[in-house]
Amino acid sequence: MTTLTLPPLSLAARRSRVLGVVRRDFAALRRSPIRMFEILFWPTVELLLWGFVTVFLQSQKVPFVVAFLIGAVLLWQVLQKASNEISIAFLEDIWSRNLLNVQVSPLSSVEYLVGLVLFSLGKVAFAVAVMAGLAYALYGFGVTSLGVGLVPFMGVLLMLGWSLGLVGIAAVLRFGENAQVIAWSLVFVVQPLAGIFYPVSVLPEPLQAVSWFLPASHVFEGMRTVMAGGAVPWDRLAWAAGLNVAYLAATLGLFAWALSYARRHGKLSRFGD
Amino acid sequence: MAILEAAHLAKRFGPVTAVHDLSLTVGEGEVAGLLGPNGAGKSTTLHMLLGLITPDAGTITMFGMELARHRIEVLSRVNFAASYVDLPGPLLVQEVLDAFARLYAVRRPAARVAEMIELLELGPLRRRRVMDLSSGQRTRVQLAKALVNAPQLLVLDEPTANLDPDAGDRIRGLLSRVARESGSAMLITSHNMREVERMCDRIHFMAEGRVVAAGSAEELAGRYGAEDLEEVFLKVARG
Ligand SMILES: Nc1ncnc2c1ncn2[C@@H]1O[C@H](COP(=O)(O)OP(=O)(O)OP(=O)(O)O)[C@@H](O)[C@H]1O
Ligand SMILES: [Mg+2]
């Protein structure tokens, strides 16, 4: 063996490969101003939209805590971005016909996903920081009003987002490029069920049961509790975290199965045709 | 010593038998050609060797390791370029090469990328976006990517398909030089018979998913009573 490359199974080699994914995605982002713009566009639009809704509701003397909606928009963006950024990063390899180059490299699936997750974390953090600034400037909403719950709230949503993103990628691997619509839209299935803009109690009974199994529901319920002056509901967050671990394990399995399906059916070289 | 041994590979896609009971070896430093008509199963074979397609049957051993069990170790020592793949368009040439140097866990990415830029005469293109390059220029960038880990086996699927005769000739010269100097083995498909004659030590002819003849260009010409490889091709392809 040459000394040109690190021993392939060493930690240093793994770090190098993960870093390769991150650096590539970062370079791609830096070279496409449109994508930079997009990171900020939707969060800003949603923030303005819901911000005006709250202003209107207040003017109608609806008894209501303004911060609920603004906080909900912020946290919702964490979930949506975490999910979409992961699938986009994968889809970009398909769009640029680079998928085979990545797939014949020694990058393992786990390393690839870790790279995508790390990079998406950066993007989510950036978008959230900008939104938090805007929410404060426009509506006087400080994210710190979420208290110590903020970190676990976001953590639960990020993890759920990764699971949803993985389902999107798996769908593309299994059903082909047209399934990318699943990658975009899956997160919106969660939206009405997770009690984001209203308490879960407004849902019909059976849907309430479903929402109990959505980690996101516990975050948004918890957020409202904290904002109303209550304590962070750690028990519910622990349940949500447990669900997340189970879902992530299941979706990783799904991804592995979809990749093996694509390899068995020769699909990897058929994307983009 | 063989660095690649494929035994009894088979692959079906629904009703289509793409590859049937195919066995193939490539020796250290050998430049091997895979020839055959459209749809003969060449790309499918290469993709199985690269782990992109899982064979229905058969085994693939490289560097004494089974691909299915040692994917990461094997793929670290292999690389690939093809006319139908591309590199991320928005990235600068230099950024692409840097990313792949890291994906192959090259110890000193910056130095290695500089070497590749020098080797493929990419200096003036270093800071240009891949999407803005001509197809000939892109091919050079792809080859720089494909050589970045100094692979012991380089798999090339119609590497010169998009090139004008002059650019194609330069690439062939470069690949021959790399094979000579670095001892890298190559497995190449091409529909350009002169290219194969010039570059390949050994040629495997495929038809309908099988290897139907193998040998050097002269051996094959002799065996089929043909003037050159082109004539061999026509005779083999037309039965
Ligand atoms: N992913 C796939 N799904 C279905 N059929 C496939 C797939 N890949 C290849 N085939 C079929 O398998 C056969 C062999 O195809 P392959 O691409 O390996 O041929 P080839 O020798 O590379 O041809 P060419 O010279 O045209 O590149 C063809 O009949 C093709 O239609
Ligand atoms: Mg082919």
Side-chain angles (χ1 to χ4, degrees):
Chain A
M1 281 233 60
T2 64
T3 51
L4 183 75
T5 54
L6 297 159
L9 298 181
S10 66
L11 201 62
R14 293 188 188 280
R15 196 178 325 121
S16 168
R17 293 193 289 263
V18 170
L19 196 66
V21 175
V22 173
R23 284 177 64 108
R24 180 204 57 177
D25 287 346
F26 182 72
L29 180 64
R30 213 159 68 116
R31 301 290 160 208
S32 354
I34 295 286
R35 296 238 313 274
M36 285 281 219
F37 168 77
E38 215 206 1
I39 294 188
L40 299 176
F41 180 77
W42 291 114
T44 309
V45 168
E46 291 221 9
L47 192 65
L48 286 175
L49 176 71
W50 290 99
F52 289 132
V53 170
T54 60
V55 171
F56 170 69
L57 289 176
Q58 273 183 312
S59 72
Q60 298 296 302
K61 307 256 181 323
V62 177
F64 175 81
V65 184
V66 177
F68 283 3
L69 277 186
I70 307 286
V73 175
L74 263 167
L75 289 180
W76 161 249
Q77 284 298 321
V78 172
L79 178 61
Q80 195 193 341
K81 285 251 159 256
S83 153
N84 284 354
E85 295 297 342
I86 298 267
S87 357
I88 293 180
F90 173 79
L91 282 166
E92 250 159 30
D93 277 328
I94 291 182
W95 295 331
S96 61
R97 305 164 74 81
N98 184 45
L99 185 68
L100 294 194
N101 285 324
V102 175
Q103 288 289 332
V104 302
S105 82
L107 185 70
S108 75
S109 293
V110 170
E111 290 159 2
Y112 184 46
L113 294 176
V114 169
L116 297 188
V117 161
L118 282 179
F119 185 66
S120 77
L121 271 182
K123 282 209 257 187
V124 171
F126 179 63
V128 167
V130 171
M131 275 179 79
L134 269 180
Y136 188 73
L138 296 174
Y139 312 109
F141 175 88
V143 276
T144 46
S145 63
L146 292 171
V148 287
L150 186 64
V151 172
F153 286 161
M154 289 199 178
V156 167
L157 293 175
L158 282 171
M159 247 177 114
L160 178 63
W162 299 335
S163 288
L164 294 172
L166 275 174
V167 174
I169 297 178
V172 172
L173 281 170
R174 172 60 185 79
F175 298 107
E177 253 175 296
N178 289 337
Q180 46 182 277
V181 43
I182 296 180
W184 307 131
S185 45
L186 196 60
V187 68
F188 290 100
V189 177
V190 172
Q191 198 174 28
L193 296 174
I196 296 172
F197 299 111
Y198 42 76
V200 169
S201 57
V202 307
L203 293 173
E205 286 273 331
L207 289 184
Q208 285 192 31
V210 174
S211 98
W212 184 255
F213 289 94
L214 279 177
S217 321
H218 305 287
V219 168
F220 290 101
E221 294 278 290
M223 174 197 80
R224 281 185 290 268
T225 309
V226 171
M227 283 179 170
V232 177
W234 293 107
D235 50 342
R236 294 188 71 159
L237 283 178
W239 165 246
L243 284 175
N244 260 335
V245 170
Y247 292 161
L248 202 55
T251 50
L252 278 171
L254 185 72
F255 171 84
W257 173 82
L259 183 60
S260 115
Y261 175 91
R263 284 182 182 147
R264 268 179 287 126
H265 291 81
K267 296 294 181 198
L268 294 178
S269 56
R270 286 297 177 271
F271 291 119
D273 287 351
Chain B
M1 198 193 82
I3 55 165
L4 161 66
E5 281 186 86
H8 309 295
L9 293 181
K11 190 69 209 175
R12 290 175 64 108
F13 298 110
V16 179
T17 301
V19 172
H20 181 80
D21 194 21
L22 180 139
S23 299
L24 185 76
T25 61
V26 176
E28 203 173 327
E30 179 181 295
V31 179
L34 203 53
L35 292 195
N38 296 129
K42 304 180 297 293
S43 297
T44 304
T45 303
L46 297 189
H47 290 179
M48 288 194 283
L49 300 178
L50 291 161
L52 291 172
I53 294 180
T54 313
D56 295 336
T59 53
I60 297 167
T61 311
M62 285 192 227
F63 321 110
M65 294 176 280
E66 208 180 312
L67 172 65
R69 289 208 218 137
H70 298 274
R71 188 184 177 86
I72 295 178
E73 294 103 305
V74 168
L75 291 181
S76 294
R77 296 157 76 170
V78 176
N79 214 319
F80 171 65
S83 50
Y84 47 82
V85 297
D86 224 328
L87 294 161
L91 267 64
L92 306 184
V93 167
Q94 190 178 301
E95 291 168 338
V96 170
L97 296 179
D98 171 85
F100 278 98
R102 289 171 202 276
L103 288 189
Y104 283 90
V106 168
R107 275 178 208 270
R108 296 172 197 284
R112 184 63 183 166
V113 167
E115 270 173 47
M116 291 299 99
I117 284 175
E118 168 101 36
L119 180 70
L120 285 131
E121 296 164 18
L122 292 169
L125 305 179
R126 232 179 65 229
R127 298 202 49 82
R128 287 185 58 191
R129 292 189 304 180
V130 170
M131 61 164 86
D132 296 335
L133 303 180
S134 76
S135 43
Q137 293 168 331
R138 281 185 204 208
T139 302
R140 264 159 47 212
V141 179
Q142 271 209 49
L143 285 177
K145 170 258 158 189
L147 292 169
V148 80
N149 60 331
Q152 282 165 282
L153 176 67
L154 184 54
V155 177
L156 301 168
D157 201 354
E158 304 189 37
T160 56
N162 297 326
L163 302 183
D164 73 52
D166 173 51
D169 190 63
R170 284 160 185 267
I171 294 294
R172 283 189 281 281
L174 177 101
L175 286 173
S176 297
R177 207 175 84 217
V178 168
R180 244 192 347 266
E181 288 171 9
S182 69
S184 171
M186 298 186 188
L187 182 57
I188 304 177
T189 73
S190 172
H191 291 300
N192 179 334
M193 294 306 121
R194 286 224 305 231
E195 168 168 310
V196 175
E197 262 166 355
R198 175 172 154 192
M199 292 188 61
C200 297
D201 307 317
R202 191 174 164 82
I203 295 158
H204 304 263
F205 255 106
M206 281 188 78
E208 296 178 359
R210 301 158 196 263
V211 173
V212 291
S216 70
E218 297 86 63
E219 280 166 21
L220 287 170
R223 201 178 313 162
Y224 284 86
E227 284 277 305
D228 55 15
L229 205 56
E230 182 131 355
E231 214 184 311
V232 176
F233 189 103
L234 294 177
K235 287 192 170 174
V236 173
R238 293 175 185 170

